[in-house]
Amino acid sequence: MTALLQHVVDAIGLASLYALLALPVALIYGIMGLVNFAHGELIMIGAYGLFIFAALSLPLAIFLMIAVVIVAALLMERSAFRPVRGSTPETLLVTSFAVSFLLQNLALMVFGSRPKSIETPGFLNKAVSVGGIQIEGVTILSVVAATVFIGGLVIFMRRTNFGMAMRAAAEDFTMARLVGIRANAVISGTFAISGAMAGVAAFILVVQGGSAFATMGLAPVIIAFVATMMGGLGSFSGALLGAALLGAGTVAFEVVLPTQLRSSREAFVYGGVLVLLLIRPQGLIPSRKERV
Amino acid sequence: MAIMGAETDRTTAGVAVASPGGANAEKPGFRAEGICVHFEGVKAVDGVDVTIVRGEVLGLLGPNGAGKTTLVNALTGFEKPTAGQVWLGERDITGMEAARLARLGVARTFQSGRLFDHLTVLENVEVAALTGYRTRRRAVARAREILAMLELSHIADRRARELSHGESRNVELGRLIATSASYLLLDEPAAGLNEAESDQLTTLIASLPERLDCGVLIIEHDMRVIMRLCHRIQVLDHGKTIAVGTPEEIRADAAVNAAYLGSVDNEAAGENDAAS
């Protein structure tokens, strides 16, 4: 029983992190039809931000880092994606790859290829024991952060002007503009949200991995992409479901696979994703039509 | 958050200034002169003048392919005119982007209705009201007011995708009203409605110019609707205006009968063909 609960806790922790990765990708796809592969580089920028601000107190460093990532997200939208807005999905995708590689290589030039190790408070990697279940500080952090963001976004989308505009724009961008919603404001706002989430994810990943490096955004963005694909690209609830399934699946395979196969659990997880997409190519909760 | 807040403020404030939502605002006139839209040699619209007058419904009539929708596209920023100019008061709005025109008070509907399916009826209308009525509370109040006016209050909380076709068209009109536009261009709003629904919509549209102090242009095939609704009718054929006048004048116009009414009423067409 305890063992099972332990796995559930682990799965919830992983799913929370995956939700933090997948949601911003889904939001941006929903609004402008862009699969933003450069989202991973926002996480990378956040990690280097923590490295740069390491001398400051942790709360201040996190605050500044998130601010930097939000600004980076806004700049990315303004300089790279706004000029190609409304282009074909292929153009948008290639643009996001270009931005991604550009930022990776810039990071290599500035920081070099060796990972920069970053100190984070020890308690985050320590586990507390609750009724025999081991819960790491970073797991609690992931769950809290995901809950705050998901809850906050739901309230934001339902209760505020801006959220309402975002929901309308996610559904039919052209029509939203025709009823007076400002495209630039909605898209910039969405990028700002994605930047904030990338910053929080960056902190969690740094706590887990202990370092910042140029290509660190790749694995998270693939997870984000797969989770949103599973759920149905562009749908908010779909991204959450995808993240939950991916997290749970990863933990489940770790448990059920024989020891010698555990190192290749990812192959099994993504094999499962493939099967799912064969059965439901449109994802579990398909999103709504029409884009910018 | 600060950035988003600022964006939000600017959105609402900017729109409020541009929007002619205020009751006392001086609303500029809408006119187009010599509009041409040519596609690779095809003259879809060829030198058409249009004036939409506030307090009036202008009907745009003509057989399929006469250029009605293309003309409306050119007037609302969906098609760049090959030649000609569109004016909103003193302002040249020719070829201006549709979203910007919408904020200046020129709003339109499409032949195929396009509601925000996952939003409720109230939210659909509210989203359009947000631009003119800065705060959420005022936007909701305005949206409820419009729904009450359209007798749609009972479906306010339903999702748009659950609506019948007739209800959707009504909600669409509600959303258009909520934009506080001074000029509403409706592309076949009664398409696909049954007679009772069509009558109800017609009555509603007829009341708009006075209620909202706006000008309405309507493309409609249903002669009953057009004749009941319009103060003036402009008839297009092959991209050109062949007649402008009151419903009575249009009904009596030989050229119109030959070009269009004849196709509806074969006997009349036969007589007119013989006459001309």
Side-chain angles (χ1 to χ4, degrees):
Chain A
M1 187 61 194
T2 312
L4 180 65
L5 272 178
Q6 180 70 55
H7 298 322
V8 171
V9 168
D10 291 347
I12 291 173
L14 201 56
S16 299
L17 173 61
Y18 288 0
L20 282 173
L21 299 174
L23 262 187
V25 172
L27 281 178
I28 287 177
Y29 183 84
I31 302 251
M32 61 181 295
L34 161 73
V35 178
N36 187 13
F37 271 97
H39 184 75
E41 279 53 55
L42 292 176
I43 294 173
M44 179 267 289
I45 289 170
Y48 279 115
L50 285 172
F51 170 72
I52 291 169
F53 300 130
L56 305 171
S57 73
L58 187 69
L60 183 60
I62 293 175
F63 177 80
L64 287 177
M65 174 272 280
I66 292 177
V68 166
V69 181
I70 289 175
V71 171
L74 289 170
L75 283 176
M76 187 186 276
E77 188 275 321
R78 183 69 191 82
S79 60
F81 296 125
R82 192 172 297 185
V84 293
R85 194 186 294 168
S87 306
T88 60
E90 295 81 7
T91 307
L92 293 171
L93 190 65
V94 170
T95 307
S96 88
F97 275 129
V99 173
S100 169
F101 285 127
L102 176 74
L103 291 174
Q104 274 183 32
N105 285 294
L106 268 179
L108 278 174
M109 281 165 59
V110 176
F111 297 103
S113 57
R114 285 174 56 189
K116 300 287 182 193
S117 71
I118 301 164
E119 289 278 318
T120 49
F123 70 88
L124 285 171
N125 280 320
K126 286 218 182 73
V128 287
S129 181
V130 182
I133 302 163
Q134 301 291 309
I135 308 178
E136 280 187 33
V138 69
T139 305
I140 299 173
L141 178 68
S142 303
V143 174
V144 169
T147 311
V148 166
F149 266 104
I150 295 164
L153 269 175
V154 168
I155 293 170
F156 180 75
M157 303 263 253
R158 302 221 167 266
R159 298 279 169 81
T160 67
N161 289 357
F162 198 95
M164 177 78 84
M166 270 179 68
R167 284 163 63 208
E171 204 166 311
D172 185 338
F173 196 86
T174 311
M175 202 62 229
R177 297 192 67 202
L178 288 181
V179 298
I181 291 169
R182 290 189 182 243
N184 290 344
V186 168
I187 291 181
S188 301
T190 311
F191 268 86
I193 294 171
S194 87
M197 296 184 79
V200 173
F203 180 69
I204 294 170
L205 291 171
V206 164
V207 170
Q208 289 180 340
S211 64
F213 53 98
T215 53
M216 69 181 291
L218 185 62
V221 88
I222 287 178
I223 289 167
F225 178 64
V226 171
T228 46
M229 279 290 286
M230 281 167 74
L233 258 176
S235 113
F236 187 97
S237 44
L240 291 182
L241 182 61
L245 284 177
L246 208 55
T250 306
V251 171
F253 275 115
E254 181 147 314
V255 175
V256 299
L257 285 177
T259 324
Q260 61 270 36
L261 280 178
R262 261 177 215 174
S263 58
S264 43
R265 65 171 184 192
E266 241 94 83
F268 287 86
V269 174
Y270 291 111
V273 172
L274 259 177
V275 172
L276 176 86
L277 288 178
L278 280 174
I279 302 167
R280 277 187 77 88
Q282 72 279 38
L284 294 165
I285 306 177
S287 112
R288 321 112 196 212
K289 52 352 49 276
E290 191 135 11
R291 301 290 158 211
V292 187
Chain B
M1 274 323 239
I3 291 159
M4 279 144 40
E7 290 279 4
T8 313
D9 289 348
R10 217 187 54 206
T11 308
T12 38
V15 169
V17 172
S19 154
N24 301 323
E26 188 57 40
K27 294 182 180 178
F30 185 101
R31 68 198 153 85
E33 285 164 11
I35 298 296
C36 295
V37 184
H38 297 175
F39 304 111
E40 291 171 11
V42 178
K43 295 176 178 177
V45 176
D46 194 21
V48 173
D49 296 348
V50 183
T51 306
I52 310 178
V53 178
R54 288 212 326 275
E56 234 186 58
V57 181
L58 169 68
L60 204 53
L61 201 61
N64 281 332
K68 306 183 296 291
T69 296
T70 309
L71 176 62
V72 166
N73 285 345
L75 298 181
T76 52
F78 280 83
E79 196 79 63
K80 213 176 170 79
T82 317
Q85 265 158 341
V86 189
W87 300 89
L88 190 61
E90 298 301 305
R91 192 167 182 175
D92 184 350
I93 57 167
T94 317
M96 196 182 270
E97 207 198 356
R100 206 165 148 219
L101 272 181
R103 288 197 294 271
L104 290 175
V106 181
R108 71 170 294 180
T109 61
F110 294 88
Q111 273 179 41
S112 53
R114 282 166 68 169
L115 287 174
F116 302 116
D117 280 348
H118 288 69
L119 269 56
T120 64
V121 167
L122 181 67
E123 287 171 339
N124 262 282
V125 180
E126 188 192 332
V127 114
L130 276 179
T131 55
Y133 296 79
R134 305 165 183 229
T135 69
R136 187 78 195 279
R137 189 181 304 179
R138 273 197 259 166
V140 173
R142 175 66 180 146
R144 288 204 184 280
E145 206 176 283
I146 291 169
L147 290 181
M149 173 177 124
L150 303 184
E151 294 173 19
L152 295 171
S153 298
H154 60 290
I155 55 167
D157 296 325
R158 295 248 303 272
R159 301 238 170 232
R161 63 172 171 218
E162 298 161 7
L163 302 179
S164 72
H165 181 69
E167 288 168 334
S168 297
R169 308 286 344 212
N170 278 312
V171 174
E172 232 176 299
L173 193 63
R175 189 175 63 182
L176 197 68
I177 293 170
T179 61
S180 312
S182 326
Y183 295 97
L184 310 179
L185 292 85
L186 315 175
D187 197 348
E188 298 197 36
L193 299 187
N194 65 34
E195 204 166 302
E197 288 172 332
S198 163
D199 283 348
Q200 198 197 353
L201 191 71
T202 308
T203 312
L204 188 69
I205 294 172
S207 71
L208 293 180
E210 200 172 320
R211 270 203 233 189
L212 306 173
D213 187 25
C214 66
V216 175
L217 180 152
I218 180 170
I219 298 181
E220 185 54 72
H221 278 298
D222 189 334
M223 289 304 298
R224 252 168 17 98
V225 173
I226 282 281
M227 290 298 170
R228 262 185 61 196
L229 191 58
C230 300
H231 299 88
R232 280 184 308 131
I233 295 173
Q234 178 162 356
V235 188
L236 296 190
D237 192 24
H238 294 103
K240 291 183 190 296
T241 302
I242 56 169
V244 187
T246 63
E248 293 71 32
E249 286 166 354
I250 293 300
R251 205 189 287 276
D253 191 294
V256 175
N257 277 300
Y260 185 65
L261 299 185
S263 63
V264 176
D265 183 342
N266 284 323
E267 279 182 35
E271 288 166 23
N272 281 297
D273 282 348
S276 58

